[in-house]
C-alpha cells in the first residue's frame, strides 16, 4: 500500500510545485509590467514678450504628462535657462495667471556651475502639493509666468538659451528642461563647448 500511495503523493507534490512556480512567474511578469510604467513629461512654451530687449521675460508654459500613470506635480521641476545682464544682476519671479493657481507655482533662481555663452543662470519652476496630480495625457493648462530685473532695468533676452522670440503659440520646446523626482526626462540643457586648439 505504501509503495502505491508514495508515487501519488510525489505526483501531487510535483504538480503543486509546478503550479507554485507558474504563479511566481506570473507574479514576476505582473511586477515587471507595473515597474515599466514611466513618468515622462513634455514642456510647451510661448512668449508674449518677443523683443530682443524687454521690461520682463515672459516664459508662458504648459507641462504635459506623456507617461502612462498619474503624476504628482510636486515631483516636477521645469528649468528655463538665461544669461544674466551683469554678474551682479538680481531677478524677481512672478506669476500673472495659471490654471493650477499662482499660489501653487514656485520660482527659484540659480547659477549654473558651468556657464555657457547663452546661459549662466536659470529659473526653476516648481509646484506645491496644492497643484495636485496630472493625469496621463493631461497638461497643466496655461502658466503665464514672468521675471524681471530687481532694479527694473530692461533685460536683454536675445542671448538667453531658452528664449524663443518667434514662439508666439504653444509648442514643444526642448530648450527648457523638466525633471521628475530629480531625473531629467525632457529637454536639452546648454552645454559647455570644448575650446578649440
Amino acid at each position: 500500500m505504501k509503495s502505491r500511495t508514495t508515487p501519488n503523493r510525489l505526483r501531487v507534490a510535483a504538480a503543486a510545485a509546478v503550479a507554485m512556480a507558474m504563479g511566481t512567474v506570473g507574479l514576476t511578469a505582473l511586477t515587471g509590467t507595473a515597474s515599466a510604467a514611466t513618468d515622462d513629461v513634455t514642456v510647451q512654451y510661448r512668449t508674449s514678450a518677443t523683443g530682443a530687449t524687454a521690461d520682463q521675460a515672459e516664459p508662458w508654459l504648459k507641462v504635459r504628462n506623456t507617461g502612462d500613470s498619474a503624476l504628482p506635480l510636486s515631483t516636477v521641476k521645469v528649468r528655463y535657462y538665461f544669461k544674466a545682464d551683469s554678474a551682479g544682476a538680481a531677478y524677481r519671479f512672478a506669476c500673472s495667471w495659471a490654471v493650477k493657481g499662482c499660489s501653487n507655482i514656485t520660482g527659484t533662481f540659480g547659477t549654473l556651475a558651468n556657464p555657457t555663452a547663452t546661459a549662466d543662470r536659470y529659473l526653476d519652476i516648481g509646484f506645491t502639493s496644492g497643484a495636485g496630480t496630472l493625469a496621463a495625457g493631461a497638461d497643466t493648462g496655461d502658466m503665464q509666468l514672468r521675471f524681471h530685473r530687481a532694479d527694473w532695468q530692461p533685460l536683454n533676452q536675445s542671448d538667453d538659451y531658452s528664449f524663443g522670440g518667434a514662439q508666439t503659440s504653444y509648442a514643444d520646446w526642448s530648450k527648457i528642461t523638466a525633471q521628475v523626482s530629480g531625473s531629467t526626462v525632457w529637454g536639452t540643457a546648454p552645454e559647455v563647448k570644448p575650446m578649440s586648439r
Side-chain angles (χ1 to χ4, degrees), residues 4-124:
R4 288 179 187 170
T5 56
T6 301
N8 286 339
R9 286 180 181 168
L10 289 174
R11 279 194 289 273
V12 169
V18 169
M20 185 175 288
M22 292 293 286
T24 303
V25 170
L27 184 60
T28 302
L30 185 63
T31 304
T33 302
S35 65
T38 55
D39 290 331
D40 291 334
V41 300
T42 59
V43 178
Q44 293 193 323
Y45 161 83
R46 63 159 291 197
T47 184
S48 60
T50 59
T53 60
D55 290 335
Q56 54 190 358
E58 296 183 9
W60 292 12
L61 306 175
K62 286 183 183 179
V63 176
R64 176 175 291 278
N65 179 2
T66 56
D68 50 16
S69 58
L71 179 66
L73 278 169
S74 60
T75 65
V76 176
K77 274 249 196 287
V78 176
R79 181 167 288 186
Y80 182 95
Y81 301 89
F82 67 99
K83 185 172 177 62
D85 294 321
S86 67
Y91 294 85
R92 300 286 182 266
F93 167 78
C95 171
S96 297
W97 186 81
V99 172
K100 290 291 183 180
C102 283
S103 61
N104 294 315
I105 298 171
T106 62
T108 308
F109 293 97
T111 302
L112 288 176
N114 298 304
T116 71
T118 57
D120 55 12
R121 307 276 185 96
Y122 59 83
L123 169 62
D124 269 349

Side-chain angles (χ1 to χ4, degrees), residues 105-153:
I105 298 171
T106 62
T108 308
F109 293 97
T111 302
L112 288 176
N114 298 304
T116 71
T118 57
D120 55 12
R121 307 276 185 96
Y122 59 83
L123 169 62
D124 269 349
I125 305 300
F127 301 88
T128 69
S129 57
T133 300
L134 201 58
D139 67 49
T140 58
D142 267 336
M143 294 189 292
Q144 298 180 7
L145 312 177
R146 55 191 169 89
F147 66 92
H148 59 85
R149 287 181 53 159
D151 59 8
W152 279 106
Q153 292 298 306

Side-chain angles (χ1 to χ4, degrees), residues 3 45 54 79 175 179:
S3 60
Y45 161 83
R79 181 167 288 186
K175 289 188 172 185
Q179 292 185 337

